[in-house]
Amino acid sequence: MFTKEKTSVCKGIGILFLLFHHLFRVPDMIYNNNVQFTLISVEKINIFATALRVCVWIFAFLSAYGLSYKYMRTPKEKRSSFVPRQWLSLMKPFWLIFLICLGIYVATGHNIMYKYNGNFLFIVFDFFAVADMFGTPKLLGVFWYMFFAQLVVIMLPLIFRICEKLGYVMLPITYITLLFIGQGFTTVNGGPYLEYLLVIIIGVLFAQRDVMNRLAKRKSKAIFKVIMFFVFLLIAAGAMYLREIVIPDDTLHLRGACSAIAATSICVSFGVYFNIKYLDYPLIILGKYSGGMFIIHLMLYSMLPKIVYFSHVPIVVYLTLIVESLAITYLIFSFKKLVRYDKLFDFLSLGINKIPVFLFGKGE
């Protein structure tokens, strides 16, 4: 079954891809920190690390899939408050991590007002992760994803209803529509937001048709599951190869389509056919804390590089970033529980549940 644990396994793979992507995709970061590759050239590592950017599509697929499941299981009379409840659930952990990152930024000798061009309002925009919408500075580039995640939450009910009516026909319709729209809204850090639309649609459709669970329920021999695990990995690898090597530009949105195929295949591979207990567990742990690690790891290697790049051996640098970002995220989550951070928002949750139906409709 595609359980919460299996979702965490997929998130674990996604966060491992993300950390490798950020550490080794830029040659200057490798040379400036004297990281030494001996068995493979820096150029090939850069290509591989860039290909692993499929991690963003993995998180987008899982977000769309999970939100759709929640929406389906929300009683119709409570769907009017679905968006604000999910928005608050998304932003609560981010706000705490944002304040911690802000504190570390100041503690490491940086001028916070210089960062935000002397405008306090820009800090507020960043706090609510809407800096990309206004074109204002961000403390960390990775904050772009929080704006994207908010858009997914806001648009989910509409996308869900359209997919419910059109089914898989929604996929070619979406692709053809993208050809006419062009690049649309673009951020320096995340690229065109429309690149992720196809994988969002796939996530919603898979949830509506319970695809992951239906695949998992099929009684198959162990050898078949092993074969299917590698088949989907090969599909993902082929899609990533096409995106990075064969397709030089994205005028036809083919790169985004390849990323969507790769991400979906990886989630099917690890979410359905991967079942090695002793490897599942560490991936589940990484997946559980992947939301915090998503931001913390960037803070570490950008603000505190000496504690990440103390070695010149690539695997040591990579494992160091994994362990440090996981440990700090775990401490933050433990602190949240200790001070009952989530309890502070209970009054907001109660207010959200009382939102008049006429504001958002009955959610049919």
Side-chain angles (χ1 to χ4, degrees), residues 195-357:
E195 272 193 357
Y196 311 100
L197 183 57
L198 272 174
V199 83
I200 295 296
I201 300 297
I202 294 172
V204 172
L205 289 169
F206 270 39
Q208 289 176 340
R209 284 148 184 77
D210 204 20
V211 172
M212 304 295 268
N213 283 325
R214 285 166 55 196
L215 289 174
K217 286 177 182 177
R218 290 181 180 176
K219 293 183 179 180
S220 308
K221 293 183 179 180
I223 186 64
F224 175 79
K225 292 183 177 180
V226 171
I227 291 172
M228 293 307 295
F229 171 77
F230 285 106
V231 165
F232 278 101
L233 278 190
L234 284 173
I235 292 171
M240 291 159 71
Y241 176 82
L242 283 173
R243 189 190 72 179
E244 296 304 322
I245 306 299
V246 179
I247 305 171
D249 56 59
D250 201 22
T251 53
L252 297 177
H253 287 281
L254 291 173
R255 289 171 63 85
C258 286
S259 297
I261 293 169
T264 304
S265 298
I266 289 168
C267 288
V268 171
S269 188
F270 282 93
V272 176
Y273 297 111
F274 184 81
N275 192 24
I276 302 175
K277 185 177 180 180
Y278 297 106
L279 293 179
D280 259 355
Y281 183 72
L283 288 173
I284 289 171
I285 296 299
L286 288 171
K288 181 180 178 181
Y289 295 104
S290 60
M293 292 175 69
F294 197 107
I295 297 173
I296 293 299
H297 84 279
L298 187 60
M299 178 198 73
L300 288 174
Y301 78 74
S302 62
M303 297 185 194
L304 303 166
K306 290 183 179 180
I307 68 171
V308 175
Y309 294 101
F310 67 86
S311 171
H312 304 307
V313 181
I315 187 64
V316 175
V317 174
Y318 181 48
L319 290 174
T320 297
L321 186 59
I322 293 171
V323 172
E324 289 177 348
S325 55
L326 176 60
I328 292 174
T329 302
Y330 175 79
L331 290 174
I332 291 172
F333 276 66
S334 298
F335 174 75
K336 277 177 59 182
K337 289 182 180 179
L338 182 65
V339 300
R340 298 186 177 183
Y341 175 78
D342 289 337
K343 292 287 184 182
L344 298 174
F345 293 89
D346 280 354
F347 74 98
L348 285 177
S349 299
L350 289 172
I352 285 172
N353 288 329
K354 295 178 181 178
I355 289 177
V357 173

